Amino acid sequence: MKKALILLGCPEAPSQTPMAVYSVYKLTSLGYQVTVASTPSALKLLEVSDPEELYVKNKIDIESCLENLEEGIFDLLVGFVHKDAAVSYFVTFYSILNTSSIAVVFERDPELLENYIESIEESTDATIVSARAYHNPTPLRVKFDRALKKLED
Protein backbone atom coordinates (compact mmCIF):
# COMPACT_ATOMS: atom_id res chain seq x y z
CA MET A 1 0.00 0.00 0.00
CA LYS A 2 1.23 3.50 -0.85
CA LYS A 3 1.83 5.84 2.07
CA ALA A 4 1.22 9.59 2.23
CA LEU A 5 2.24 12.14 4.85
CA ILE A 6 0.25 15.34 5.34
CA LEU A 7 1.91 18.24 7.19
CA LEU A 8 -0.21 20.69 9.16
CA GLY A 9 1.17 23.70 10.95
CA CYS A 10 -0.55 26.44 12.89
CA PRO A 11 -4.31 26.10 12.33
CA GLU A 12 -4.89 29.86 12.24
CA ALA A 13 -6.35 29.78 8.71
CA PRO A 14 -9.92 28.40 8.71
CA SER A 15 -9.40 26.64 5.37
CA GLN A 16 -6.69 24.34 6.68
CA THR A 17 -8.68 21.88 8.81
CA PRO A 18 -11.46 21.12 6.30
CA MET A 19 -8.86 20.83 3.53
CA ALA A 20 -6.80 18.47 5.67
CA VAL A 21 -9.78 16.17 6.30
CA TYR A 22 -10.69 16.37 2.61
CA SER A 23 -7.12 15.55 1.59
CA VAL A 24 -7.08 12.48 3.81
CA TYR A 25 -10.38 11.40 2.27
CA LYS A 26 -9.11 11.89 -1.31
CA LEU A 27 -5.78 10.19 -0.72
CA THR A 28 -7.41 7.25 1.06
CA SER A 29 -9.81 6.82 -1.85
CA LEU A 30 -6.75 6.66 -4.14
CA GLY A 31 -5.30 3.81 -2.10
CA TYR A 32 -2.93 5.67 0.21
CA GLN A 33 -2.45 4.94 3.89
CA VAL A 34 -2.36 8.51 5.23
CA THR A 35 -0.54 9.87 8.26
CA VAL A 36 -1.09 13.45 9.43
CA ALA A 37 1.82 15.16 11.18
CA SER A 38 0.70 18.32 12.89
CA THR A 39 1.19 20.81 15.65
CA PRO A 40 -0.73 20.05 18.87
CA SER A 41 -3.31 22.77 18.15
CA ALA A 42 -3.92 21.51 14.60
CA LEU A 43 -4.29 18.00 16.02
CA LYS A 44 -6.98 19.20 18.44
CA LEU A 45 -8.97 20.70 15.57
CA LEU A 46 -8.70 17.45 13.62
CA GLU A 47 -9.91 15.48 16.63
CA VAL A 48 -12.95 17.74 16.97
CA SER A 49 -13.61 17.68 13.21
CA ASP A 50 -13.35 13.89 12.93
CA PRO A 51 -14.12 12.55 16.44
CA GLU A 52 -14.74 8.97 15.32
CA GLU A 53 -11.63 8.95 13.13
CA LEU A 54 -13.66 8.12 10.06
CA TYR A 55 -11.07 9.88 7.90
CA VAL A 56 -8.02 10.83 9.96
CA LYS A 57 -6.85 7.56 11.46
CA ASN A 58 -3.08 8.05 11.78
CA LYS A 59 -1.87 11.15 13.58
CA ILE A 60 1.53 12.13 14.93
CA ASP A 61 3.11 15.22 16.43
CA ILE A 62 5.12 17.02 13.73
CA GLU A 63 8.28 17.18 15.87
CA SER A 64 8.18 13.46 16.71
CA CYS A 65 7.62 12.68 13.05
CA LEU A 66 10.62 14.78 12.03
CA GLU A 67 12.87 13.03 14.56
CA ASN A 68 12.11 9.61 13.02
CA LEU A 69 11.88 10.65 9.38
CA GLU A 70 13.91 8.89 6.72
CA GLU A 71 13.88 8.57 2.97
CA GLY A 72 11.61 5.92 1.49
CA ILE A 73 8.99 5.63 4.23
CA PHE A 74 6.40 7.75 2.39
CA ASP A 75 5.42 7.78 -1.28
CA LEU A 76 3.81 11.22 -1.17
CA LEU A 77 4.22 14.37 0.90
CA VAL A 78 1.43 16.95 1.10
CA GLY A 79 2.23 20.10 3.04
CA PHE A 80 -0.14 22.91 3.97
CA VAL A 81 1.76 26.19 3.77
CA HIS A 82 0.41 29.51 5.00
CA LYS A 83 3.24 30.78 7.18
CA ASP A 84 7.04 31.11 6.97
CA ALA A 85 7.46 28.26 9.45
CA ALA A 86 5.32 26.00 7.26
CA VAL A 87 7.60 26.74 4.29
CA SER A 88 10.59 25.66 6.39
CA TYR A 89 8.88 22.48 7.58
CA PHE A 90 7.79 21.58 4.06
CA VAL A 91 11.27 22.09 2.59
CA THR A 92 12.86 20.11 5.44
CA PHE A 93 10.47 17.17 5.08
CA TYR A 94 10.82 17.32 1.30
CA SER A 95 14.62 17.18 1.55
CA ILE A 96 14.59 14.19 3.89
CA LEU A 97 11.84 12.17 2.18
CA ASN A 98 12.95 12.83 -1.39
CA THR A 99 9.54 11.78 -2.74
CA SER A 100 6.64 13.11 -4.82
CA SER A 101 5.33 16.20 -3.08
CA ILE A 102 2.47 18.68 -3.21
CA ALA A 103 2.65 22.04 -1.44
CA VAL A 104 -0.79 23.47 -0.75
CA VAL A 105 0.03 27.17 -0.43
CA PHE A 106 -2.62 29.62 0.67
CA GLU A 107 -2.74 33.10 2.14
CA ARG A 108 -5.05 36.08 1.83
CA ASP A 109 -2.19 38.54 1.28
CA PRO A 110 -1.06 38.20 -2.37
CA GLU A 111 2.49 39.35 -1.62
CA LEU A 112 2.96 36.76 1.14
CA LEU A 113 1.39 34.09 -1.08
CA GLU A 114 3.92 34.86 -3.82
CA ASN A 115 6.81 34.82 -1.32
CA TYR A 116 5.81 31.37 -0.04
CA ILE A 117 5.47 30.04 -3.59
CA GLU A 118 8.88 31.43 -4.59
CA SER A 119 10.55 29.93 -1.51
CA ILE A 120 9.16 26.50 -2.28
CA GLU A 121 10.03 26.74 -5.98
CA GLU A 122 13.61 27.72 -5.12
CA SER A 123 14.08 24.80 -2.73
CA THR A 124 12.01 21.94 -4.16
CA ASP A 125 10.56 20.37 -7.29
CA ALA A 126 7.19 19.97 -5.57
CA THR A 127 3.90 20.46 -7.33
CA ILE A 128 2.43 23.69 -6.01
CA VAL A 129 -1.28 24.14 -5.45
CA SER A 130 -1.91 27.75 -4.54
CA ALA A 131 -4.81 30.10 -4.03
CA ARG A 132 -5.54 33.37 -2.39
CA ALA A 133 -7.69 31.70 0.22
CA TYR A 134 -8.33 31.99 3.92
CA HIS A 135 -11.94 31.23 4.84
CA ASN A 136 -13.14 29.48 1.69
CA PRO A 137 -11.36 26.17 0.93
CA THR A 138 -13.09 25.65 -2.44
CA PRO A 139 -10.34 27.16 -4.66
CA LEU A 140 -7.78 24.98 -2.90
CA ARG A 141 -9.96 21.88 -3.18
CA VAL A 142 -10.43 22.31 -6.92
CA LYS A 143 -6.71 22.83 -7.53
CA PHE A 144 -5.76 20.00 -5.18
CA ASP A 145 -8.05 17.62 -7.07
CA ARG A 146 -6.36 18.64 -10.35
CA ALA A 147 -2.91 18.04 -8.87
CA LEU A 148 -3.93 14.59 -7.63
CA LYS A 149 -5.34 13.70 -11.05
CA LYS A 150 -2.03 14.64 -12.70
CA LEU A 151 -0.12 12.67 -10.07
CA GLU A 152 -2.16 9.55 -10.70
CA ASP A 153 -2.00 9.80 -14.51
Side-chain angles (χ1 to χ4, degrees), residues 13-23 80 104-107 129-145:
S15 293
Q16 181 174 276
T17 302
M19 271 304 299
V21 173
Y22 180 78
S23 298
F80 285 81
V104 181
V105 185
F106 58 105
E107 169 59 58
V129 171
S130 67
R132 203 171 147 229
Y134 192 74
H135 290 97
N136 180 5
T138 302
L140 287 171
R141 181 187 53 80
V142 169
K143 291 179 179 184
F144 182 74
D145 285 347

PDB file of all heavy atoms in Angstrom, residues 13-23 80 104-107 129-145:
ATOM      1  N   ALA A  13      -5.502  29.585   9.888  1.00  0.00           N
ATOM      2  CA  ALA A  13      -6.350  29.782   8.705  1.00  0.00           C
ATOM      3  C   ALA A  13      -7.514  28.798   8.721  1.00  0.00           C
ATOM      4  O   ALA A  13      -7.306  27.590   8.795  1.00  0.00           O
ATOM      5  CB  ALA A  13      -5.526  29.603   7.435  1.00  0.00           C
ATOM      6  N   PRO A  14      -8.748  29.287   8.651  1.00  0.00           N
ATOM      7  CA  PRO A  14      -9.917  28.405   8.714  1.00  0.00           C
ATOM      8  C   PRO A  14      -9.980  27.356   7.603  1.00  0.00           C
ATOM      9  O   PRO A  14     -10.585  26.302   7.789  1.00  0.00           O
ATOM     10  CB  PRO A  14     -11.098  29.372   8.601  1.00  0.00           C
ATOM     11  CG  PRO A  14     -10.577  30.695   9.005  1.00  0.00           C
ATOM     12  CD  PRO A  14      -9.129  30.706   8.619  1.00  0.00           C
ATOM     13  N   SER A  15      -9.357  27.602   6.473  1.00  0.00           N
ATOM     14  CA  SER A  15      -9.404  26.641   5.367  1.00  0.00           C
ATOM     15  C   SER A  15      -8.587  25.379   5.626  1.00  0.00           C
ATOM     16  O   SER A  15      -8.835  24.339   5.019  1.00  0.00           O
ATOM     17  CB  SER A  15      -8.857  27.291   4.082  1.00  0.00           C
ATOM     18  OG  SER A  15      -9.697  28.308   3.645  1.00  0.00           O
ATOM     19  N   GLN A  16      -7.613  25.457   6.518  1.00  0.00           N
ATOM     20  CA  GLN A  16      -6.694  24.339   6.684  1.00  0.00           C
ATOM     21  C   GLN A  16      -7.345  23.055   7.179  1.00  0.00           C
ATOM     22  O   GLN A  16      -7.130  21.983   6.598  1.00  0.00           O
ATOM     23  CB  GLN A  16      -5.542  24.717   7.625  1.00  0.00           C
ATOM     24  CG  GLN A  16      -4.550  23.573   7.797  1.00  0.00           C
ATOM     25  CD  GLN A  16      -3.347  23.966   8.599  1.00  0.00           C
ATOM     26  OE1 GLN A  16      -2.412  24.517   8.051  1.00  0.00           O
ATOM     27  NE2 GLN A  16      -3.379  23.697   9.905  1.00  0.00           N
ATOM     28  N   THR A  17      -8.130  23.110   8.226  1.00  0.00           N
ATOM     29  CA  THR A  17      -8.684  21.885   8.807  1.00  0.00           C
ATOM     30  C   THR A  17      -9.641  21.165   7.860  1.00  0.00           C
ATOM     31  O   THR A  17      -9.488  19.960   7.642  1.00  0.00           O
ATOM     32  CB  THR A  17      -9.336  22.160  10.177  1.00  0.00           C
ATOM     33  OG1 THR A  17      -8.341  22.731  11.038  1.00  0.00           O
ATOM     34  CG2 THR A  17      -9.879  20.883  10.788  1.00  0.00           C
ATOM     35  N   PRO A  18     -10.611  21.849   7.239  1.00  0.00           N
ATOM     36  CA  PRO A  18     -11.463  21.119   6.304  1.00  0.00           C
ATOM     37  C   PRO A  18     -10.687  20.575   5.106  1.00  0.00           C
ATOM     38  O   PRO A  18     -10.963  19.480   4.618  1.00  0.00           O
ATOM     39  CB  PRO A  18     -12.528  22.129   5.870  1.00  0.00           C
ATOM     40  CG  PRO A  18     -12.037  23.459   6.289  1.00  0.00           C
ATOM     41  CD  PRO A  18     -11.073  23.242   7.412  1.00  0.00           C
ATOM     42  N   MET A  19      -9.674  21.322   4.649  1.00  0.00           N
ATOM     43  CA  MET A  19      -8.863  20.830   3.533  1.00  0.00           C
ATOM     44  C   MET A  19      -8.024  19.632   3.953  1.00  0.00           C
ATOM     45  O   MET A  19      -7.800  18.709   3.159  1.00  0.00           O
ATOM     46  CB  MET A  19      -7.961  21.942   2.992  1.00  0.00           C
ATOM     47  CG  MET A  19      -8.585  22.785   1.912  1.00  0.00           C
ATOM     48  SD  MET A  19      -9.180  21.844   0.472  1.00  0.00           S
ATOM     49  CE  MET A  19      -7.671  21.079  -0.117  1.00  0.00           C
ATOM     50  N   ALA A  20      -7.576  19.608   5.186  1.00  0.00           N
ATOM     51  CA  ALA A  20      -6.804  18.465   5.674  1.00  0.00           C
ATOM     52  C   ALA A  20      -7.673  17.207   5.706  1.00  0.00           C
ATOM     53  O   ALA A  20      -7.264  16.143   5.232  1.00  0.00           O
ATOM     54  CB  ALA A  20      -6.240  18.754   7.063  1.00  0.00           C
ATOM     55  N   VAL A  21      -8.872  17.330   6.248  1.00  0.00           N
ATOM     56  CA  VAL A  21      -9.784  16.174   6.301  1.00  0.00           C
ATOM     57  C   VAL A  21     -10.125  15.733   4.876  1.00  0.00           C
ATOM     58  O   VAL A  21     -10.111  14.540   4.560  1.00  0.00           O
ATOM     59  CB  VAL A  21     -11.061  16.501   7.113  1.00  0.00           C
ATOM     60  CG1 VAL A  21     -12.072  15.368   7.025  1.00  0.00           C
ATOM     61  CG2 VAL A  21     -10.702  16.780   8.571  1.00  0.00           C
ATOM     62  N   TYR A  22     -10.387  16.691   4.001  1.00  0.00           N
ATOM     63  CA  TYR A  22     -10.690  16.368   2.606  1.00  0.00           C
ATOM     64  C   TYR A  22      -9.509  15.670   1.933  1.00  0.00           C
ATOM     65  O   TYR A  22      -9.678  14.702   1.191  1.00  0.00           O
ATOM     66  CB  TYR A  22     -11.064  17.646   1.842  1.00  0.00           C
ATOM     67  CG  TYR A  22     -11.379  17.383   0.395  1.00  0.00           C
ATOM     68  CD1 TYR A  22     -12.607  16.857   0.015  1.00  0.00           C
ATOM     69  CD2 TYR A  22     -10.436  17.637  -0.604  1.00  0.00           C
ATOM     70  CE1 TYR A  22     -12.890  16.591  -1.315  1.00  0.00           C
ATOM     71  CE2 TYR A  22     -10.718  17.381  -1.930  1.00  0.00           C
ATOM     72  CZ  TYR A  22     -11.949  16.855  -2.287  1.00  0.00           C
ATOM     73  OH  TYR A  22     -12.226  16.584  -3.601  1.00  0.00           O
ATOM     74  N   SER A  23      -8.317  16.151   2.186  1.00  0.00           N
ATOM     75  CA  SER A  23      -7.118  15.553   1.594  1.00  0.00           C
ATOM     76  C   SER A  23      -6.933  14.113   2.040  1.00  0.00           C
ATOM     77  O   SER A  23      -6.578  13.245   1.233  1.00  0.00           O
ATOM     78  CB  SER A  23      -5.877  16.370   1.967  1.00  0.00           C
ATOM     79  OG  SER A  23      -5.986  17.673   1.461  1.00  0.00           O
ATOM     80  N   PHE A  80       0.691  21.708   3.970  1.00  0.00           N
ATOM     81  CA  PHE A  80      -0.142  22.912   3.972  1.00  0.00           C
ATOM     82  C   PHE A  80       0.723  24.086   4.415  1.00  0.00           C
ATOM     83  O   PHE A  80       1.297  24.062   5.506  1.00  0.00           O
ATOM     84  CB  PHE A  80      -1.346  22.730   4.902  1.00  0.00           C
ATOM     85  CG  PHE A  80      -2.387  21.848   4.300  1.00  0.00           C
ATOM     86  CD1 PHE A  80      -2.261  20.469   4.345  1.00  0.00           C
ATOM     87  CD2 PHE A  80      -3.476  22.386   3.648  1.00  0.00           C
ATOM     88  CE1 PHE A  80      -3.206  19.643   3.753  1.00  0.00           C
ATOM     89  CE2 PHE A  80      -4.436  21.578   3.053  1.00  0.00           C
ATOM     90  CZ  PHE A  80      -4.286  20.201   3.116  1.00  0.00           C
ATOM     91  N   VAL A 104       0.481  22.768  -0.672  1.00  0.00           N
ATOM     92  CA  VAL A 104      -0.794  23.472  -0.751  1.00  0.00           C
ATOM     93  C   VAL A 104      -0.567  24.828  -0.084  1.00  0.00           C
ATOM     94  O   VAL A 104      -0.531  24.936   1.135  1.00  0.00           O
ATOM     95  CB  VAL A 104      -1.921  22.680  -0.052  1.00  0.00           C
ATOM     96  CG1 VAL A 104      -3.247  23.422  -0.165  1.00  0.00           C
ATOM     97  CG2 VAL A 104      -2.030  21.271  -0.615  1.00  0.00           C
ATOM     98  N   VAL A 105      -0.378  25.847  -0.919  1.00  0.00           N
ATOM     99  CA  VAL A 105       0.031  27.169  -0.433  1.00  0.00           C
ATOM    100  C   VAL A 105      -1.162  28.111  -0.493  1.00  0.00           C
ATOM    101  O   VAL A 105      -1.768  28.282  -1.550  1.00  0.00           O
ATOM    102  CB  VAL A 105       1.190  27.729  -1.292  1.00  0.00           C
ATOM    103  CG1 VAL A 105       1.696  29.034  -0.706  1.00  0.00           C
ATOM    104  CG2 VAL A 105       2.319  26.716  -1.417  1.00  0.00           C
ATOM    105  N   PHE A 106      -1.470  28.724   0.638  1.00  0.00           N
ATOM    106  CA  PHE A 106      -2.616  29.624   0.675  1.00  0.00           C
ATOM    107  C   PHE A 106      -2.371  30.746   1.668  1.00  0.00           C
ATOM    108  O   PHE A 106      -1.698  30.577   2.670  1.00  0.00           O
ATOM    109  CB  PHE A 106      -3.906  28.865   1.008  1.00  0.00           C
ATOM    110  CG  PHE A 106      -3.869  28.116   2.312  1.00  0.00           C
ATOM    111  CD1 PHE A 106      -4.548  28.591   3.416  1.00  0.00           C
ATOM    112  CD2 PHE A 106      -3.165  26.920   2.421  1.00  0.00           C
ATOM    113  CE1 PHE A 106      -4.521  27.904   4.617  1.00  0.00           C
ATOM    114  CE2 PHE A 106      -3.143  26.222   3.621  1.00  0.00           C
ATOM    115  CZ  PHE A 106      -3.810  26.715   4.715  1.00  0.00           C
ATOM    116  N   GLU A 107      -2.911  31.894   1.325  1.00  0.00           N
ATOM    117  CA  GLU A 107      -2.740  33.103   2.140  1.00  0.00           C
ATOM    118  C   GLU A 107      -3.655  34.157   1.554  1.00  0.00           C
ATOM    119  O   GLU A 107      -3.900  34.164   0.351  1.00  0.00           O
ATOM    120  CB  GLU A 107      -1.272  33.535   2.075  1.00  0.00           C
ATOM    121  CG  GLU A 107      -0.946  34.892   2.634  1.00  0.00           C
ATOM    122  CD  GLU A 107      -1.310  35.091   4.095  1.00  0.00           C
ATOM    123  OE1 GLU A 107      -0.835  34.336   4.953  1.00  0.00           O
ATOM    124  OE2 GLU A 107      -2.100  36.014   4.359  1.00  0.00           O
ATOM    125  N   VAL A 129       0.141  23.822  -5.351  1.00  0.00           N
ATOM    126  CA  VAL A 129      -1.278  24.143  -5.452  1.00  0.00           C
ATOM    127  C   VAL A 129      -1.440  25.415  -4.639  1.00  0.00           C
ATOM    128  O   VAL A 129      -1.176  25.419  -3.437  1.00  0.00           O
ATOM    129  CB  VAL A 129      -2.144  23.010  -4.841  1.00  0.00           C
ATOM    130  CG1 VAL A 129      -3.589  23.434  -4.740  1.00  0.00           C
ATOM    131  CG2 VAL A 129      -1.984  21.729  -5.621  1.00  0.00           C
ATOM    132  N   SER A 130      -1.825  26.505  -5.291  1.00  0.00           N
ATOM    133  CA  SER A 130      -1.906  27.754  -4.543  1.00  0.00           C
ATOM    134  C   SER A 130      -3.191  28.501  -4.850  1.00  0.00           C
ATOM    135  O   SER A 130      -3.749  28.393  -5.936  1.00  0.00           O
ATOM    136  CB  SER A 130      -0.701  28.647  -4.865  1.00  0.00           C
ATOM    137  OG  SER A 130      -0.751  29.071  -6.204  1.00  0.00           O
ATOM    138  N   ALA A 131      -3.627  29.264  -3.861  1.00  0.00           N
ATOM    139  CA  ALA A 131      -4.812  30.101  -4.032  1.00  0.00           C
ATOM    140  C   ALA A 131      -4.777  31.195  -2.977  1.00  0.00           C
ATOM    141  O   ALA A 131      -4.258  31.005  -1.881  1.00  0.00           O
ATOM    142  CB  ALA A 131      -6.088  29.287  -3.882  1.00  0.00           C
ATOM    143  N   ARG A 132      -5.347  32.302  -3.353  1.00  0.00           N
ATOM    144  CA  ARG A 132      -5.539  33.374  -2.388  1.00  0.00           C
ATOM    145  C   ARG A 132      -6.790  33.002  -1.608  1.00  0.00           C
ATOM    146  O   ARG A 132      -7.904  33.313  -2.003  1.00  0.00           O
ATOM    147  CB  ARG A 132      -5.697  34.698  -3.120  1.00  0.00           C
ATOM    148  CG  ARG A 132      -5.346  35.837  -2.248  1.00  0.00           C
ATOM    149  CD  ARG A 132      -5.270  37.138  -2.989  1.00  0.00           C
ATOM    150  NE  ARG A 132      -5.709  38.116  -2.010  1.00  0.00           N
ATOM    151  CZ  ARG A 132      -6.610  39.028  -2.235  1.00  0.00           C
ATOM    152  NH1 ARG A 132      -7.146  39.153  -3.413  1.00  0.00           N
ATOM    153  NH2 ARG A 132      -6.956  39.844  -1.274  1.00  0.00           N
ATOM    154  N   ALA A 133      -6.568  32.258  -0.545  1.00  0.00           N
ATOM    155  CA  ALA A 133      -7.690  31.704   0.222  1.00  0.00           C
ATOM    156  C   ALA A 133      -7.410  31.838   1.708  1.00  0.00           C
ATOM    157  O   ALA A 133      -6.263  31.795   2.136  1.00  0.00           O
ATOM    158  CB  ALA A 133      -7.891  30.238  -0.143  1.00  0.00           C
ATOM    159  N   TYR A 134      -8.456  31.941   2.465  1.00  0.00           N
ATOM    160  CA  TYR A 134      -8.330  31.987   3.915  1.00  0.00           C
ATOM    161  C   TYR A 134      -9.537  31.291   4.540  1.00  0.00           C
ATOM    162  O   TYR A 134      -9.390  30.277   5.186  1.00  0.00           O
ATOM    163  CB  TYR A 134      -8.202  33.432   4.398  1.00  0.00           C
ATOM    164  CG  TYR A 134      -7.786  33.525   5.843  1.00  0.00           C
ATOM    165  CD1 TYR A 134      -6.483  33.245   6.218  1.00  0.00           C
ATOM    166  CD2 TYR A 134      -8.694  33.897   6.828  1.00  0.00           C
ATOM    167  CE1 TYR A 134      -6.093  33.320   7.546  1.00  0.00           C
ATOM    168  CE2 TYR A 134      -8.308  33.990   8.152  1.00  0.00           C
ATOM    169  CZ  TYR A 134      -7.008  33.695   8.506  1.00  0.00           C
ATOM    170  OH  TYR A 134      -6.630  33.773   9.825  1.00  0.00           O
ATOM    171  N   HIS A 135     -10.729  31.823   4.283  1.00  0.00           N
ATOM    172  CA  HIS A 135     -11.940  31.232   4.841  1.00  0.00           C
ATOM    173  C   HIS A 135     -12.557  30.173   3.937  1.00  0.00           C
ATOM    174  O   HIS A 135     -13.136  29.207   4.422  1.00  0.00           O
ATOM    175  CB  HIS A 135     -13.002  32.310   5.117  1.00  0.00           C
ATOM    176  CG  HIS A 135     -12.638  33.212   6.243  1.00  0.00           C
ATOM    177  ND1 HIS A 135     -12.055  34.435   6.037  1.00  0.00           N
ATOM    178  CD2 HIS A 135     -12.743  33.058   7.574  1.00  0.00           C
ATOM    179  CE1 HIS A 135     -11.823  35.009   7.201  1.00  0.00           C
ATOM    180  NE2 HIS A 135     -12.234  34.194   8.152  1.00  0.00           N
ATOM    181  N   ASN A 136     -12.470  30.355   2.645  1.00  0.00           N
ATOM    182  CA  ASN A 136     -13.137  29.480   1.686  1.00  0.00           C
ATOM    183  C   ASN A 136     -12.143  28.460   1.114  1.00  0.00           C
ATOM    184  O   ASN A 136     -11.253  28.829   0.360  1.00  0.00           O
ATOM    185  CB  ASN A 136     -13.738  30.323   0.556  1.00  0.00           C
ATOM    186  CG  ASN A 136     -14.445  29.490  -0.476  1.00  0.00           C
ATOM    187  OD1 ASN A 136     -14.584  28.281  -0.342  1.00  0.00           O
ATOM    188  ND2 ASN A 136     -14.909  30.142  -1.531  1.00  0.00           N
ATOM    189  N   PRO A 137     -12.300  27.174   1.432  1.00  0.00           N
ATOM    190  CA  PRO A 137     -11.364  26.167   0.931  1.00  0.00           C
ATOM    191  C   PRO A 137     -11.627  25.713  -0.510  1.00  0.00           C
ATOM    192  O   PRO A 137     -10.833  24.975  -1.079  1.00  0.00           O
ATOM    193  CB  PRO A 137     -11.563  24.992   1.901  1.00  0.00           C
ATOM    194  CG  PRO A 137     -12.975  25.124   2.356  1.00  0.00           C
ATOM    195  CD  PRO A 137     -13.252  26.607   2.392  1.00  0.00           C
ATOM    196  N   THR A 138     -12.720  26.153  -1.116  1.00  0.00           N
ATOM    197  CA  THR A 138     -13.092  25.649  -2.445  1.00  0.00           C
ATOM    198  C   THR A 138     -12.009  25.851  -3.509  1.00  0.00           C
ATOM    199  O   THR A 138     -11.709  24.903  -4.242  1.00  0.00           O
ATOM    200  CB  THR A 138     -14.441  26.238  -2.897  1.00  0.00           C
ATOM    201  OG1 THR A 138     -15.428  25.890  -1.918  1.00  0.00           O
ATOM    202  CG2 THR A 138     -14.857  25.696  -4.246  1.00  0.00           C
ATOM    203  N   PRO A 139     -11.394  27.034  -3.636  1.00  0.00           N
ATOM    204  CA  PRO A 139     -10.340  27.161  -4.660  1.00  0.00           C
ATOM    205  C   PRO A 139      -9.187  26.175  -4.447  1.00  0.00           C
ATOM    206  O   PRO A 139      -8.657  25.618  -5.405  1.00  0.00           O
ATOM    207  CB  PRO A 139      -9.861  28.608  -4.513  1.00  0.00           C
ATOM    208  CG  PRO A 139     -10.973  29.324  -3.822  1.00  0.00           C
ATOM    209  CD  PRO A 139     -11.648  28.305  -2.958  1.00  0.00           C
ATOM    210  N   LEU A 140      -8.837  25.945  -3.200  1.00  0.00           N
ATOM    211  CA  LEU A 140      -7.777  24.976  -2.902  1.00  0.00           C
ATOM    212  C   LEU A 140      -8.215  23.557  -3.238  1.00  0.00           C
ATOM    213  O   LEU A 140      -7.443  22.773  -3.788  1.00  0.00           O
ATOM    214  CB  LEU A 140      -7.388  25.052  -1.426  1.00  0.00           C
ATOM    215  CG  LEU A 140      -6.582  26.259  -1.003  1.00  0.00           C
ATOM    216  CD1 LEU A 140      -6.453  26.308   0.509  1.00  0.00           C
ATOM    217  CD2 LEU A 140      -5.216  26.258  -1.659  1.00  0.00           C
ATOM    218  N   ARG A 141      -9.443  23.222  -2.911  1.00  0.00           N
ATOM    219  CA  ARG A 141      -9.957  21.880  -3.179  1.00  0.00           C
ATOM    220  C   ARG A 141      -9.927  21.579  -4.670  1.00  0.00           C
ATOM    221  O   ARG A 141      -9.469  20.508  -5.091  1.00  0.00           O
ATOM    222  CB  ARG A 141     -11.383  21.716  -2.633  1.00  0.00           C
ATOM    223  CG  ARG A 141     -11.959  20.315  -2.881  1.00  0.00           C
ATOM    224  CD  ARG A 141     -13.422  20.226  -2.481  1.00  0.00           C
ATOM    225  NE  ARG A 141     -14.270  21.234  -3.077  1.00  0.00           N
ATOM    226  CZ  ARG A 141     -14.757  21.189  -4.327  1.00  0.00           C
ATOM    227  NH1 ARG A 141     -14.473  20.188  -5.116  1.00  0.00           N
ATOM    228  NH2 ARG A 141     -15.546  22.148  -4.764  1.00  0.00           N
ATOM    229  N   VAL A 142     -10.392  22.513  -5.469  1.00  0.00           N
ATOM    230  CA  VAL A 142     -10.435  22.312  -6.923  1.00  0.00           C
ATOM    231  C   VAL A 142      -9.022  22.107  -7.470  1.00  0.00           C
ATOM    232  O   VAL A 142      -8.763  21.182  -8.246  1.00  0.00           O
ATOM    233  CB  VAL A 142     -11.135  23.510  -7.614  1.00  0.00           C
ATOM    234  CG1 VAL A 142     -10.963  23.452  -9.118  1.00  0.00           C
ATOM    235  CG2 VAL A 142     -12.616  23.545  -7.237  1.00  0.00           C
ATOM    236  N   LYS A 143      -8.083  22.936  -7.048  1.00  0.00           N
ATOM    237  CA  LYS A 143      -6.705  22.832  -7.533  1.00  0.00           C
ATOM    238  C   LYS A 143      -6.006  21.593  -6.987  1.00  0.00           C
ATOM    239  O   LYS A 143      -5.191  20.970  -7.687  1.00  0.00           O
ATOM    240  CB  LYS A 143      -5.930  24.103  -7.191  1.00  0.00           C
ATOM    241  CG  LYS A 143      -6.426  25.301  -7.988  1.00  0.00           C
ATOM    242  CD  LYS A 143      -5.677  26.559  -7.637  1.00  0.00           C
ATOM    243  CE  LYS A 143      -6.185  27.716  -8.483  1.00  0.00           C
ATOM    244  NZ  LYS A 143      -5.418  28.943  -8.239  1.00  0.00           N
ATOM    245  N   PHE A 144      -6.323  21.219  -5.760  1.00  0.00           N
ATOM    246  CA  PHE A 144      -5.755  20.003  -5.178  1.00  0.00           C
ATOM    247  C   PHE A 144      -6.229  18.772  -5.960  1.00  0.00           C
ATOM    248  O   PHE A 144      -5.436  17.884  -6.272  1.00  0.00           O
ATOM    249  CB  PHE A 144      -6.142  19.898  -3.701  1.00  0.00           C
ATOM    250  CG  PHE A 144      -5.570  18.702  -3.007  1.00  0.00           C
ATOM    251  CD1 PHE A 144      -4.216  18.654  -2.680  1.00  0.00           C
ATOM    252  CD2 PHE A 144      -6.376  17.628  -2.666  1.00  0.00           C
ATOM    253  CE1 PHE A 144      -3.685  17.539  -2.030  1.00  0.00           C
ATOM    254  CE2 PHE A 144      -5.852  16.525  -2.028  1.00  0.00           C
ATOM    255  CZ  PHE A 144      -4.498  16.479  -1.703  1.00  0.00           C
ATOM    256  N   ASP A 145      -7.511  18.737  -6.286  1.00  0.00           N
ATOM    257  CA  ASP A 145      -8.048  17.619  -7.073  1.00  0.00           C
ATOM    258  C   ASP A 145      -7.339  17.506  -8.422  1.00  0.00           C
ATOM    259  O   ASP A 145      -7.011  16.404  -8.870  1.00  0.00           O
ATOM    260  CB  ASP A 145      -9.559  17.771  -7.288  1.00  0.00           C
ATOM    261  CG  ASP A 145     -10.363  17.450  -6.042  1.00  0.00           C
ATOM    262  OD1 ASP A 145      -9.806  16.879  -5.085  1.00  0.00           O
ATOM    263  OD2 ASP A 145     -11.567  17.787  -6.036  1.00  0.00           O
TER     264      ASP A 145
END
